[in-house]
Amino acid sequence: MEEEELRSQLQAALQNQDLAVANVTDKGRSLITCKDFHPGDVIISQEPYVCVPNNSSTQSRCDGCFISSKNLKKCSKCQVVWYCSSTCQKLEWKLHRVECDALSKLAKDRRKHVTPSLRLMVKLLVRRKLQFEKIVPSTATDNYRLVGALVSHMKDIDEKQVVLYAQMANLVNLVLQWPDINLKDIAENFSKLACNAHTICDSELRPVGTGLYPVVSIINHSCLPSAVLVFEGRLAVVRAVQHIPKGSEVLISYIETAGSTMERRKALKQQYFFTCACPRCSKMGQEDDIRESAILEGYRCKDNRCNGFVLRDSDDRGFVCQQCGLLRNKEEVKKLAAEIITTSDRASKCTSSRDTLEDISVYKLIEKLQRKLCHPFSISLMQTRDKLLKMLMEIEDWREALSYCRLTIPIYQRVYPEFHPLLGLQYYTCGKLEWLLGDTENAIKSLTKAVDVLRITHGTNTSFMKELIMKLDEACAERSHIRASRDDE
């Protein structure tokens, strides 16, 4: 009866947003549209039931707004949580008061080891308690019963993971020390968080925290999503990236979709315990899918003038280009692949030493080797160039950073759909570098492409988007000024 009441209340609340929850075969609960949605439309937004920032020994964030600032101050009592202002502290106080009392009773050395995942569970149990006692209000879309309805996959996880969740439940018990605490329920909730919590990112998709959004978690996955999930502060916002007709299922991507069908399916099976049957994955093993996998994760033709993809030949002598027929020797491929692995191991050691210049030289060598081995549209080649781009920006080598950024754009265009935030952000990076280097014409082209994509995925009202649009306006004004000056001459 309680489950039916919960479903009825949720349906009534979602109906006001032109949405409904329905059971879809082989998927379970799904979010369905009750009207047409168009690219850029907000389908649903939700504040987190609970969330925590990604605090570490090197960087702290405000518990209220997730901002990272030099002006952050620790909670004077527990010495664990940070706030940027009294406003954020007051907004969080009802929840933090209970958590604070528990944390402050721990020995100081133990407080340092309270991880974000432990805090997320502590806050989840505290919020449940406060809502039950009616100290914190609950609504149809903001109550613990929605958390209870989430899938845990406890039957699917291996024994080691079960033991880990049990150990974490004991740590939560150590923090809260409540007499009626249920360790089995806490362990199951850890499994629910693993499958349902979302990584909260800033406007440039950099992770800043973790949050649980029970209604957003109803949305199912597709490798060809009709919507995208972005965050405005802690608020989760789902926007349409294509036309979604009335009566259709809203679909987002749970994983990085740039990759072969085999890799995507493997990632989804490992973390979410299902085999994706979306239109993209249903083509697995077909000619187009084999070709795409060979391009994204395979090798290039031995002839640098040919952009064909290669497949292993029937005699296992090597790899044959499917465009020009040239054979690439197996031993040569193995040697290059081994060199890349060895150099990548060097790179991981360099990164730990924090020597950016050494990092750059090693990654340039990896990129050179990958160009010899990998297809020009290779995912690993794109990732290496992205690392070089970030490191070169770190040392303010803008010109070389731009050269690598431009090399990534064609791969981004291939592996991501037209309205994907990562593609828009790469255009934005390219435009900023071009403008910085005085290439106003190309900067306008890149910034325009960035706006065209990100206004769909991010909307236009955030400070990030306002800054981007302002940059484009300034670049256009600068071009007009340059042209006017030329005309005067």
Side-chain angles (χ1 to χ4, degrees):
M1 186 68 183
E2 187 178 313
E3 193 175 321
E4 287 181 15
E5 184 187 350
L6 171 64
R7 191 184 298 118
S8 176
Q9 289 173 352
L10 181 59
Q11 292 284 28
L14 290 175
Q15 190 174 6
N16 294 329
Q17 301 177 62
D18 298 301
L19 297 166
V21 176
N23 283 316
V24 174
T25 306
D26 298 328
K27 289 186 177 183
R29 292 190 309 164
S30 307
L31 196 66
I32 308 296
T33 60
C34 298
K35 71 167 190 178
D36 283 17
F37 284 90
H38 300 278
D41 288 349
V42 173
I43 297 169
I44 190 169
S45 60
Q46 187 182 23
E47 289 287 350
Y49 186 76
V50 284
C51 63
V52 288
N54 288 344
N55 287 341
S56 66
S57 57
T58 56
Q59 186 180 43
S60 297
R61 293 184 177 276
C62 172
D63 232 61
C65 65
F66 284 24
I67 194 171
S68 180
S69 164
K70 293 178 182 178
N71 300 322
L72 294 181
K73 292 182 180 178
K74 273 185 179 179
C75 171
S76 57
K77 186 176 180 182
C78 71
Q79 295 288 302
V80 173
V81 178
W82 297 80
Y83 294 106
C84 67
S85 64
S86 57
T87 302
C88 278
Q89 190 171 17
K90 285 174 183 174
L91 285 171
E92 292 293 301
W93 179 239
K94 278 186 181 178
L95 195 61
H96 180 58
R97 179 178 60 81
V98 181
E99 180 195 24
C100 187
D101 286 342
L103 291 172
S104 60
K105 290 173 185 173
L106 291 176
K108 284 187 178 180
D109 61 326
R110 282 189 170 177
R111 286 184 223 172
K112 294 175 184 176
H113 301 293
V114 177
T115 61
S117 56
L118 281 178
R119 278 202 64 216
L120 191 65
M121 184 57 67
V122 168
K123 290 179 80 170
L124 178 69
L125 299 176
V126 168
R127 188 170 180 84
R128 178 183 69 176
K129 181 176 186 292
L130 294 178
Q131 284 189 329
F132 180 76
E133 294 171 353
K134 301 195 185 307
I135 295 170
V136 170
S138 60
T139 66
T141 57
D142 177 24
N143 64 79
Y144 184 78
R145 288 185 299 172
L146 291 171
V147 178
L150 296 173
V151 178
S152 69
H153 290 290
M154 280 295 280
K155 293 178 182 177
D156 300 312
I157 61 178
D158 60 38
E159 191 176 340
K160 285 184 180 178
Q161 199 65 39
V162 173
V163 171
L164 177 61
Y165 290 152
Q167 290 170 340
M168 293 171 75
N170 275 310
L171 290 173
V172 171
N173 185 31
L174 182 69
V175 174
L176 289 175
Q177 295 183 14
W178 291 347
D180 57 346
I181 206 156
N182 189 317
L183 295 179
K184 187 180 177 182
D185 283 353
I186 297 172
E188 187 171 348
N189 274 339
F190 271 117
S191 190
K192 285 182 181 181
L193 291 178
C195 303
N196 294 283
H198 288 92
T199 299
I200 301 171
C201 297
D202 64 13
S203 295
E204 297 185 61
L205 302 191
R206 294 172 298 212
V208 297
T210 305
L212 184 62
Y213 301 83
V215 180
V216 172
S217 291
I218 295 170
I219 301 172
N220 286 317
H221 164 85
S222 172
C223 299
L224 281 173
S226 57
V228 65
L229 170 62
V230 294
F231 295 89
E232 296 175 9
R234 305 187 329 181
L235 181 73
V237 183
V238 179
R239 282 191 176 83
V241 291
Q242 56 182 258
H243 174 226
I244 308 175
K246 179 181 177 180
S248 301
E249 187 181 359
V250 179
L251 297 163
I252 62 173
S253 175
Y254 292 178
I255 58 165
E256 165 63 89
T257 54
S260 68
T261 302
M262 187 179 294
E263 288 302 311
R264 295 194 313 274
R265 278 190 160 184
K266 182 181 175 183
L268 289 164
K269 192 71 174 175
Q270 283 178 343
Q271 185 170 355
Y272 299 102
F273 306 100
F274 71 89
T275 300
C276 185
C278 74
R280 193 175 170 195
C281 287
S282 63
K283 293 180 181 178
M284 186 170 175
Q286 295 179 15
E287 188 177 335
D288 286 351
D289 182 65
I290 292 169
R291 179 177 184 274
E292 193 67 8
S293 297
I295 288 171
L296 297 181
E297 294 171 6
Y299 308 128
R300 69 166 301 138
C301 177
K302 189 174 182 179
D303 185 349
N304 289 333
R305 296 167 298 178
C306 176
N307 279 336
F309 68 99
V310 301
L311 294 175
R312 192 182 293 272
D313 82 325
S314 56
D315 297 329
D316 200 27
R317 292 173 301 156
F319 299 84
V320 179
C321 178
Q322 303 302 296
Q323 186 166 305
C324 70
L326 194 64
L327 177 72
R328 186 155 200 186
N329 184 273
K330 184 169 70 173
E331 294 307 314
E332 181 207 356
V333 168
K334 282 174 69 176
K335 185 182 175 184
L336 271 171
E339 277 189 74
I340 290 170
I341 291 169
T342 303
T343 315
S344 297
D345 288 342
R346 263 183 65 199
S348 62
K349 290 172 185 174
C350 287
T351 303
S352 62
S353 69
R354 303 295 300 165
D355 186 337
T356 305
L357 289 175
E358 189 180 353
D359 282 357
I360 290 169
S361 67
V362 175
Y363 274 103
K364 279 184 178 179
L365 178 55
I366 293 171
E367 196 258 357
K368 183 180 178 181
L369 292 167
Q370 285 176 333
R371 276 191 281 119
K372 289 180 181 178
L373 181 65
C374 303
H375 192 278
F377 288 111
S378 159
I379 296 293
S380 57
L381 182 57
M382 178 186 82
Q383 290 168 342
T384 300
R385 287 169 173 168
D386 263 331
K387 285 174 183 172
L388 281 165
L389 165 62
K390 289 179 175 67
M391 288 186 286
L392 288 161
M393 289 179 71
E394 194 177 315
I395 63 167
E396 299 185 3
D397 187 342
W398 310 123
R399 196 164 298 281
E400 194 165 16
L402 176 59
S403 69
Y404 281 105
C405 188
R406 283 174 170 167
L407 287 171
T408 65
I409 293 288
I411 312 179
Y412 271 72
Q413 290 169 330
R414 184 184 181 95
V415 299
Y416 294 117
E418 182 184 4
F419 296 119
H420 194 288
L422 283 174
L423 176 60
L425 289 168
Q426 204 72 351
Y427 285 138
Y428 187 22
T429 300
C430 195
K432 285 190 289 186
L433 289 168
E434 286 163 339
W435 194 23
L436 189 68
L437 292 165
D439 189 354
T440 309
E441 287 292 339
N442 280 318
I444 289 169
K445 291 176 186 176
S446 297
L447 292 173
T448 299
K449 288 176 181 177
V451 170
D452 288 345
V453 175
L454 297 175
R455 68 181 172 82
I456 299 297
T457 62
H458 286 56
T460 54
N461 293 324
T462 62
S463 56
F464 168 77
M465 283 304 296
K466 287 174 182 175
E467 184 183 332
L468 167 54
I469 292 165
M470 185 177 70
K471 271 188 171 64
L472 176 57
D473 289 343
E474 287 176 6
C476 289
E478 187 177 288
R479 179 178 63 181
S480 297
H481 176 71
I482 291 168
R483 287 178 177 176
S485 299
R486 287 173 185 165
D487 292 341
D488 289 341
E489 290 173 6

